Amino acid sequence: MDKKEMKTLIKKARQGDSRAFGLLYSEIRTELFRFALYVLKNYSDAEDAVQSASISAYKKIGMLKKEDSFKSWYFKILYNECKNLLSEKSRRYELPQEDMTLFFRDEAPFEGNFYVKEMLSSFSDEDRSVIVLSVLEGYSSKEIGEILGMNPATVRSKLSRLLVKLRKMTEGEENE
């Protein structure tokens, strides 16, 4: 879907067109789920978070100020939903290996590399979110900052530090 089509659908959704919202959701649902899965490390919780975030986004679509920021606005709602789920449960889930295998078998950045996935799961939720949004989803530091409530410069420095850490972790594994 190109930007023009997306803007048209956003306008319709803001006017209460549920079909338009559904089409917008269909366009980004995989990205939403992948992000929630990385944050929550549990398949069912990720599904719940995406569903709750989608309900909230549908209800609040009229409050969206800029059509160009639809995706980052939606991800911010999802991120907050994930944080709420984590605080409600007050425990961390480990992502079962079979969930990772099923979901990521077609993902080029991590194809067959479960070690990278394990490294990511050792990071804090915020750090993992920064990496996933940047590397996997391709968001800019400005967009990530909007989603996570951080300054874009902080996002860039955090991302740089995390990528160096990942590189060192992978080099350490290769040397063993």
Side-chain angles (χ1 to χ4, degrees), residues 33 37 40-48 95-96 99 102-103:
F33 180 74
L37 189 59
L40 298 170
K41 300 184 218 172
N42 180 278
Y43 197 91
S44 296
D45 287 347
E47 286 178 330
D48 291 345
L95 183 64
D99 282 356
L102 288 173
F103 190 73

Side-chain angles (χ1 to χ4, degrees), residues 104-115:
F104 293 105
R105 68 173 169 243
D106 297 325
E107 293 303 316
F110 298 134
E111 188 172 336
N113 193 344
F114 290 105
Y115 180 68

Side-chain angles (χ1 to χ4, degrees), residues 21-33:
F21 185 85
L23 291 171
L24 290 166
Y25 168 77
S26 294
E27 193 66 23
I28 62 171
R29 71 178 176 221
T30 302
E31 294 172 47
L32 294 168
F33 180 74

Side-chain angles (χ1 to χ4, degrees), residues 90-109:
S90 70
R91 64 181 186 265
R92 307 283 171 151
Y93 290 105
E94 287 303 315
L95 183 64
Q97 197 67 23
E98 60 272 10
D99 282 356
M100 290 289 270
T101 304
L102 288 173
F103 190 73
F104 293 105
R105 68 173 169 243
D106 297 325
E107 293 303 316

